[in-house]
């Protein structure tokens, strides 16, 4: 067995089935000790909200934590300042907030989810079909580079242009010294699509949301496995199928 880098989303991917999570954790903990496998969490949650999850779910301590949809990277307590420096380029948060205020359908998410390189709203799927292209055009007209990431038919994140779960994955992968094909990304929703675009291997859990399944089917890859099992069951199934863990 060789070491691998596991980069996984939390809600509805790693977290969601406590018994399966405990079983997967046992495999991963042993693999870390025996082979030097590394574990990275990549979540849309802020660090505060991640810490709340820690009180509910039995999670292993990750080697690196990526929060707020790729905009923040933590090794231990401290944010990675090299990463935040990269995200500064062209990012004008106040101007983006002002542009978004033109759209009454955008409801600001609670304050802890508003981050230096991420502005977050709730947006219903109906209005999303018109609001997203209009907002995109407005940001472009105002020369405000940003990415719009719409997930789970409710969350709209406006991110600094160089940040998403995918670019953060590649940054961390290079930091930890793993090759793309030694790396497995796992996810369930729209903001995880970027995780699957970095040339690594991938596992889409069986309970994935329609936006990810649609993308998965439109962009087939031999390196990406669609599990039948949900959450940690699907991850374990995929890790065995891809040859990283033995059954
Ligand atoms: Mg998720």
């Amino acid at each position: 067995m060789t070491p691998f880098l596991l980069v996984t989303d939390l809600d509805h991917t790693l977290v969601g089935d406590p018994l399966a999570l405990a079983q997967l954790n046992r495999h991963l903990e042993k693999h870390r000790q025996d082979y030097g496998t590394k574990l990275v969490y990549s979540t849309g949650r802020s660090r505060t909200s991640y810490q709340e999850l820690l009180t509910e779910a039995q999670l292993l301590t990750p080697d690196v934590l990526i929060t707020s949809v790729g905009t923040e990277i933590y090794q231990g307590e401290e944010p990675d300042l090299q990463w935040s420096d990269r995200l500064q380029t062209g990012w004008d948060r106040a101007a983006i907030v002002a542009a978004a205020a033109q759209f009454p359908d955008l409801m600001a998410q609670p304050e802890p989810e508003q981050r230096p390189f991420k502005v977050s709203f709730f947006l219903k799927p109906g209005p999303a079909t018109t609001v997203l292209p209009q907002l995109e055009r407005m940001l472009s007209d105002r020369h405000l580079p940003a990415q719009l990431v719409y997930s789970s038919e409710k969350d709209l994140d406006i991110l600094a242009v160089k940040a998403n779960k995918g670019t953060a994955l590649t940054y961390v992968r290079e930091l930890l010294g793993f090759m793309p094909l030694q790396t497995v990304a796992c996810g369930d929703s729209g903001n995880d699509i970027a995780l699957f675009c970095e040339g690594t291997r991938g596992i889409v859990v069986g309970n994935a949301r329609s936006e990810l399944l649609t993308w998965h089917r439109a962009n087939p890859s031999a390196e990406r496995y669609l599990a039948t099992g949900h959450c940690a069951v699907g991850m374990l199934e995929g890790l065995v199928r891809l040859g990283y863990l033995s059954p």
Side-chain angles (χ1 to χ4, degrees):
M1 286 282 171
T2 51
F4 62 95
L5 171 62
L6 181 64
V7 182
T8 182
D9 169 55
L10 293 175
D11 294 275
H12 312 295
T13 303
L14 183 65
V15 177
D17 179 337
L19 284 179
L21 172 60
Q23 192 191 3
L24 178 59
N25 279 347
R26 284 193 294 275
H27 280 277
L28 292 175
E29 190 56 19
K30 185 161 173 21
H31 223 270
R32 282 168 112 182
Q33 283 168 7
D34 292 353
Y35 307 108
T37 282
K38 301 274 188 203
L39 179 60
V40 173
Y41 298 151
S42 181
T43 178
R45 288 175 180 249
S46 62
R47 191 152 185 268
T48 310
S49 157
Y50 164 75
Q51 279 157 343
E52 286 165 14
L53 180 66
L54 287 184
T55 62
E56 301 159 25
Q58 296 290 325
L59 296 177
L60 298 174
T61 303
D63 295 283
V64 178
L65 172 67
I66 302 170
T67 61
S68 304
V69 201
T71 61
E72 291 168 41
I73 295 176
Y74 294 88
Q75 289 193 77
E77 296 301 303
E78 296 305 317
D80 186 319
L81 297 178
Q82 227 171 315
W83 181 244
S84 37
D85 278 354
R86 277 193 199 194
L87 306 189
Q88 297 282 4
T89 317
W91 175 245
D92 184 343
R93 194 180 192 285
I96 286 178
V97 170
Q102 307 294 312
F103 296 88
D105 290 308
L106 296 179
M107 303 280 292
Q109 290 190 13
E111 199 48 45
E113 302 309 315
Q114 309 297 344
R115 304 298 304 164
F117 299 102
K118 169 177 168 283
V119 185
S120 294
F121 299 92
F122 294 120
L123 174 63
K124 297 205 169 89
T129 54
T130 50
V131 168
L132 292 175
Q134 285 172 4
L135 176 59
E136 200 143 49
R137 199 171 325 124
M138 183 184 284
L139 295 180
S140 149
D141 289 347
R142 296 184 181 187
H143 307 290
L144 295 171
Q147 298 170 78
L148 306 187
V149 180
Y150 187 53
S151 241
S152 308
E153 300 184 315
K154 64 178 174 55
D155 298 317
L156 172 64
D157 297 313
I158 308 178
L159 307 178
V161 75
K162 291 190 177 172
N164 59 44
K165 283 189 170 193
T167 54
L169 173 148
T170 294
Y171 178 83
V172 169
R173 180 180 64 67
E174 289 173 353
L175 201 71
L176 297 175
F178 283 82
M179 300 300 287
L181 294 182
Q182 277 184 296
T183 303
V184 192
C186 306
D188 77 295
S189 82
N191 70 18
D192 299 315
I193 291 172
L195 273 183
F196 296 117
C197 292
E198 298 289 314
T200 69
R201 310 188 85 189
I203 300 166
V204 176
V205 289
N207 54 299
R209 299 194 66 108
S210 62
E211 71 256 15
L212 176 57
L213 288 176
T214 303
W215 178 86
H216 169 75
R217 295 194 175 112
N219 299 273
S221 162
E223 307 298 345
R224 193 182 330 113
Y225 176 72
L226 174 61
T228 55
H230 289 196
C231 303
V233 177
M235 286 178 62
L236 193 51
E237 175 193 331
L239 288 169
V240 169
R241 185 64 72 95
L242 295 172
Y244 292 103
L245 294 180
S246 39

